[in-house]
């Protein structure tokens, strides 16, 4: 519908037209203006703009046409632009020397930067010469800006050609080398136990092991340091580590790139050269950026878009490290069902699990229990009792019994006396045999040994013994011994030694052992053992053995043994052992030169120090301070602690841990990844989701603009996605910036 201006109202008439379309539609707007000859001059000024969305491109096509008769004066059509032009000045330098540039290109990849210069004249760059590009621009509504792209070392190659005007033209290139350093560096062994395995694991009789660990991020950082590089960024494997005999790894003769590829690279975490001049690298998980930059949308000159949906796999599988579970943790189920699973030992080697003593197995899985048993050997019976309380052993009793034959001691006078007595009592005795020596057999108790244990407070480790006391009671028997019933034997053991009697008390000996554990590392720092032994026996009435009382202990001697461990580094320890106690020494009469008597003295009987690789026992739980250890009490273990008595070695079940992310509509085949350093199933589930995100449908966009900007991969370009490639090029003083981005379409 035409708009007709019937009369002059003002010198300026403004018409505002708005149009809203879809992305696939095209709008054509036609404006015509005419005036009567000789009346008004018509000037058509068009301003066009779109909503502030750089993804939309508005193309404005202006067609100017005039009409009139041959006698009419010529009319001039002109287009008045709404923005002034962008002015650009480019400077190419080599080691700071300005070059006469013809064309250039600077490309920023994720792991390296490369550049190519074509300049007038003859230039022979040496390897390592610094190539630099500086772009000075003046943008509308903005002051002058200077953009300096990352400097690139020349690779030393160049081509010189003659130009048609008789001059020369040189083309040369350059490239950063940090990624090559990561690829070419050969690493030493950074995993500590590969060269120095734990001695406890090598021992065939270990009960528990403190395995060495190596954090994944720390080892990777050391690998980059070996190549002179620094690593930072988001750590998706934070807290994960390799573990001796369980999750093994090695770095010997490998490159830092190999180590990265076997860890974060398997999760498609991008490794980006953050700053080439500082040798710094950045880790970015899929879909994550570390900075945001916005190009001015009015300067965008081109935009292309490509969708990728066919790369999504139907399933993504992540196999994490195996799960190791102590068999003792659910041995009750194993004992009750008699199902023996396949297990491995602390050294990772297969072990055969057998249950030959079911009572002992039941005792192990119980928290409060008593197990008894006996062994008959060489005419003697050894009966034992082991008592558990709160999951740990608190008492062990051993009783040794057996048959002995006692013979009455007879002297010649005893023979005559018995003959007279026989004749007087039997006048008709005709020479029957007189029993001169009386004999009798008894089932007796030889010894009772009892050991009690006290543990560190607040610990669950069955090795965390703070103090133990062992008491040994010995008995002696003669023909005149008056038998007594068994005393001091627990009721559970008395039934195993029926009829056993106790004789004359020979003495009680004891051994008290106290352990001091180091709060730093939990290793045994000191062990003090005090032994009390019978030193000398005494007996009266030896002139008449038949009526002599039993011998008694006259003296008790104490021996103290102190053992200490001190770490010296490198897996070595200083082991010191000192033994103090009494010693009998002969005393010589200086006048006669004869040995007159013996005297007892107290002193050091033995002292030794040695440097050894044999590490002391080490606790798995946190150890309290030394002062707190002195107030330890027995028991106190929480639910889940075990004693481990029946089994010769600690054994584990080894179960695989697999996390799966499903894409039912995914057209690509399944992808499987293995990452042994991951310990827990829940963590594996999170990581497989992160990996699956990188395979979701995505959109790749390429934009062009004359605006200069120092961008790099890993940054976000507005709403277009995360940058993965940046190319800046120019010819003369023109400048074009081309940026490629990736946007993951999250469902």
């Amino acid at each position: 519908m035409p708009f007709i201006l019937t009369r002059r109202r003002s010198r300026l008439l403004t018409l505002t037209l708005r149009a809203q379309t879809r992305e696939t539609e095209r709008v054509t707007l036609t404006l015509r203006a005419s005036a009567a000859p000789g009346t008004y001059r018509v000037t058509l000024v068009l301003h066009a703009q779109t909503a502030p969305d750089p993804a939309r491109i508005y193309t404005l096509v202006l067609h100017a046409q005039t009409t009139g008769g041959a006698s009419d004066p010529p009319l001039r059509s002109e287009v008045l632009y709404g923005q002034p032009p962008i002015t650009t000045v480019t400077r190419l330098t080599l080691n700071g020397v300005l070059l006469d540039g013809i064309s250039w290109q600077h490309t920023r990849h994720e792991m390296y930067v490369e550049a190519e210069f074509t300049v007038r004249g003859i230039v022979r760059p040496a390897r390592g010469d610094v190539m630099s590009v500086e772009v000075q621009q003046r943008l509308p509504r903005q002051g002058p800006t200077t953009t300096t792209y990352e400097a690139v070392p020349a690779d030393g190659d160049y081509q010189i050609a003659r130009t048609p005007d008789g001059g020369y033209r040189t083309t040369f290139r350059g490239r950063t080398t940090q990624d090559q350093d990561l690829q070419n560096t050969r690493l030493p062994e950074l995993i500590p136990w590969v060269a120095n395995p734990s001695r406890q694991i090598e021992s065939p009789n270990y009960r528990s092991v403190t395995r060495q660990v190596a954090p994944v991020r720390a080892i990777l950082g050391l690998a980059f340091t070996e190549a002179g590089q620094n690593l930072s960024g988001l750590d998706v494997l934070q807290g994960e580590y390799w573990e001796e005999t369980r999750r093994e790894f090695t770095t010997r003769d490998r490159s830092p790139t190999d180590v990265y590829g076997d860890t974060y690279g398997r999760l498609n975490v991008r490794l980006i050269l953050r700053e080439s001049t500082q040798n710094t690298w950045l880790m970015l998980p899929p879909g994550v950026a570390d900075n945001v930059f916005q190009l001015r949308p009015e300067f965008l000159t081109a935009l292309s878009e490509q969708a990728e949906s066919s790369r999504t796999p139907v399933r993504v599988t992540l196999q994490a490290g195996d799960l190791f579970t102590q068999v003792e943790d659910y041995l009750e189920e194993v004992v009750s069902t008699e199902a023996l699973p396949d297990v491995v030992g602390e050294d990772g080697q297969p072990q055969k699990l057998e249950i030959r003593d079911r009572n002992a197995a039941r005792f192990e899985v119980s928290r409060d229990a008593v197990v008894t048993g006996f062994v008959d050997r060489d005419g003697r019976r050894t009966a034992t009792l082991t008592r558990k309380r709160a999951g740990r052993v608190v008492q062990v009793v051993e009783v040794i019994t057996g048959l002995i034959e006692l013979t009455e001691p007879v002297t010649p006078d005893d023979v005559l006396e018995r003959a007279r007595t026989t004749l007087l009592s039997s006048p008709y005795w005709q020479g029957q045999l007189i029993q001169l020596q009386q004999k009798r057999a008894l089932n007796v108790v030889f010894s009772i040994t009892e050991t009690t244990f006290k543990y560190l407070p607040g610990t669950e480790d069955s090795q965390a013994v703070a103090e133990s006391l062992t008491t040994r009671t010995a008995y002696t028997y003669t023909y005149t011994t008056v038998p007594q019933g068994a005393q001091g034997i627990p009721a559970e053991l008395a039934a195993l030694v029926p009829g056993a009697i106790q004789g004359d008390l020979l003495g009680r000996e004891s051994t008290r052992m106290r352990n001091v554990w180091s709060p730093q590392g939990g290793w045994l720092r000191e062990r003090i053992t005090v032994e009390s032994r019978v030193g000398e026996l005494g007996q009266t009435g030896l002139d008449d053995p038949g009526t002599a009382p039993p011998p008694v202990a006259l003296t008790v001697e104490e021996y103290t043994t102190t053992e200490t461990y001190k770490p010296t580094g490198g897996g070595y320890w200083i082991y010191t052992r000192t033994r103090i106690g009494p010693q009998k020494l002969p005393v010589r009469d200086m006048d006669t030169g004869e040995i007159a008597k013996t005297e007892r003295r107290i002193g050091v009987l033995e002292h030794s120090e040695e440097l050894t690789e044999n590490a002391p026992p080490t606790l798995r739980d946190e150890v309290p301070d030394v002062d707190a250890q002195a107030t330890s009490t027995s028991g106190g273990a929480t639910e889940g602690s075990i004693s481990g008595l029946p089994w010769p070695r600690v054994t584990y079940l080894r179960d695989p841990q697999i996390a799966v992310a499903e894409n039912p509509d995914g057209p690509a085949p399944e992808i499987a990844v293995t990452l042994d350093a991951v310990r827990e199933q829940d963590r594996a589930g999170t990581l497989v989701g992160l990996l699956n995100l990188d395979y979701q449908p995505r959109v790749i966009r390429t934009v062009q603009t004359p605006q200069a900007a120092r961008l790099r991969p890993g940054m976000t370009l507005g709403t277009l996605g995360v940058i993965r490639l940046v190319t800046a090029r120019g010819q003369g003083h023109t400048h074009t910036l081309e940026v490629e981005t990736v946007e993951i379409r999250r469902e």
Side-chain angles (χ1 to χ4, degrees), residues 184-196:
N184 298 331
T185 300
R186 297 295 97 183
L187 295 173
E189 186 55 70
L190 302 177
I191 306 299
W193 64 82
V194 174
N196 298 299

Side-chain angles (χ1 to χ4, degrees), residues 303-357:
L303 170 64
S304 64
E305 184 173 290
Q306 174 184 343
E308 294 183 354
S309 301
S310 60
R311 61 192 300 270
T312 303
V314 66
R315 185 181 301 105
V316 177
T317 302
L318 175 63
Q319 181 170 345
D322 292 339
L323 175 65
F324 288 82
T325 307
Q326 282 197 11
V327 175
E328 291 87 342
D329 289 348
Y330 56 96
L331 188 58
E332 186 173 2
E333 177 183 348
V334 174
V335 173
S336 60
T337 61
E338 300 185 4
L340 302 181
D342 296 330
V343 299
V344 295
E346 292 280 15
D347 54 1
Q349 299 301 315
Q351 300 288 330
K352 185 177 181 180
L353 182 62
E354 295 181 303
I355 300 180
R356 296 183 178 181
D357 189 342

Side-chain angles (χ1 to χ4, degrees), residues 157 167 178 213 216 281 357-358 367 431 462 570 597 610 654-655:
D157 298 338
Q178 285 85 353
V213 298
V216 176
W281 294 81
D357 189 342
R358 195 160 300 280
R367 291 182 53 78
S462 295
K597 60 179 181 178
E610 62 174 323
R654 185 171 189 167
D655 298 317

Side-chain angles (χ1 to χ4, degrees), residues 430-474:
Q430 298 179 356
Q432 293 96 334
L433 178 64
I434 299 176
Q435 185 68 34
L436 298 181
Q437 291 183 334
Q438 301 294 329
K439 296 182 179 181
R440 57 179 175 174
L442 297 176
N443 181 23
V444 301
V445 175
F446 289 107
S447 66
I448 300 176
T449 304
E450 179 183 10
T451 303
T452 58
F453 300 92
K454 294 182 179 180
Y455 296 89
L456 294 180
T459 64
E460 300 180 1
D461 197 333
S462 295
Q463 285 194 121
V465 177
E467 185 176 327
S468 67
L469 174 62
T470 301
T471 303
R472 293 176 295 276
T473 305

Side-chain angles (χ1 to χ4, degrees), residues 1 25 36 78 90 104 153 181 188 190-191 339 383 385 459 469 472 510-511 572 630 687 723:
M1 181 180 69
E25 292 181 346
E78 60 180 343
T90 303
W104 60 275
D181 294 337
L190 302 177
I191 306 299
L385 174 146
T459 64
L469 174 62
R472 293 176 295 276
S510 65
T511 300
Y572 289 91
L687 294 177
I723 299 174

